[in-house]
Amino acid sequence: QDTYIEELGKTNTDWYDELFRNSVSTTHNLSINGGGDKYTYYTSLAYTRNAGLLKNNDYDRYNLTANLSMHPSQKVKIDFGASMSYQYSKSPALNSLDPFQYAYFANPYERIYNEDGSYAADNTYYSITHANGAYDKLLPDGGYNIFREINETSNETKNMSASLIANLSVNILDNLSFEGLASYGYVTNASDNINGKNTYA
């Protein structure tokens, strides 16, 4: 027993340091605009990258906008607009486990990997209920390891939306005008949940 306890004392895992990272968010914008008496135009492109606080948690967003306004005459105005947005996010499927809570309660003498490089089983966090005489959780054959869940599971979401708008304005008489508007919109959403066969998820 003393030898086993001494061996455990050689491991000092900082779970906060292992599970989390400095979250960095960057946004890039590029826009072009110009025109003359008869027309004006505007185009913009934006990209946002958000590396989440939890490892393997990322978010990307792309935006494209284009507008064109034309004045062929004093009585006629034509506007065209187009926009597109694409979002992609990925995060581990931790099945309601709060990683902050895990980092707080997980024992520092627990290891992430065994000496052979395989995932080490958590022998305390998911064994508390059994030790206290309560129900046993159904765990994988290799035991529970939060890094197996982070590396071998994922929730992926892809969203895209696009729209086109055309507007025609004609002043026929001083008290009579025509307004025409045509628009088209497209939206698609897709999500995938991937769970490795040896994971708790």
Side-chain angles (χ1 to χ4, degrees), residues 6-192:
E6 183 180 355
E7 187 67 25
L8 291 177
K10 296 179 181 178
T11 302
N12 186 20
T13 303
D14 185 338
W15 289 102
Y16 281 104
D17 187 57
E18 296 292 343
L19 289 171
F20 303 105
R21 62 187 176 185
N22 291 327
S23 179
V24 178
S25 178
T26 59
T27 300
H28 307 275
N29 294 283
L30 175 65
S31 63
I32 301 173
N33 63 83
D37 296 335
K38 298 292 186 179
Y39 70 95
T40 59
Y41 64 88
Y42 172 81
T43 303
S44 69
L45 177 65
Y47 169 67
T48 298
R49 167 76 173 176
N50 187 1
L53 192 61
L54 180 67
K55 292 181 178 179
N56 281 12
N57 190 342
D58 299 298
Y59 170 85
D60 293 277
R61 180 183 176 92
Y62 302 85
N63 287 91
L64 175 64
T65 303
N67 295 313
L68 175 64
S69 181
M70 296 184 293
H71 303 267
S73 69
Q74 292 182 347
K75 293 185 176 183
V76 179
K77 180 181 178 183
I78 304 172
D79 294 313
F80 294 101
S83 65
M84 186 186 73
S85 174
Y86 175 78
Q87 302 174 49
Y88 172 79
S89 63
K90 180 181 178 182
S91 63
L94 295 180
N95 279 15
S96 76
L97 172 70
D98 184 349
F100 290 95
Q101 181 179 347
Y102 184 90
Y104 182 82
F105 286 106
N107 284 303
Y109 56 76
E110 295 278 13
R111 294 186 297 176
I112 300 173
Y113 302 102
N114 295 313
E115 292 182 358
D116 60 0
S118 61
Y119 292 107
D122 183 302
N123 294 308
T124 53
Y125 186 86
Y126 273 93
S127 302
I128 295 298
T129 54
H130 175 75
N132 291 334
Y135 65 92
D136 288 335
K137 289 188 176 183
L138 183 62
L139 298 178
D141 292 337
Y144 181 86
N145 183 290
I146 192 170
F147 276 89
R148 182 192 290 118
E149 306 301 310
I150 290 176
N151 295 330
E152 298 183 11
T153 71
S154 68
N155 284 319
E156 295 185 6
T157 302
K158 300 175 183 179
N159 302 321
M160 191 189 80
S161 62
S163 66
L164 296 172
I165 298 176
N167 185 69
L168 173 64
S169 176
V170 181
N171 292 325
I172 301 173
L173 299 172
D174 290 342
N175 296 320
L176 180 64
S177 64
F178 171 81
E179 293 283 343
L181 175 67
S183 65
Y184 172 79
Y186 175 80
V187 176
T188 179
N189 300 297
S191 61
D192 290 314

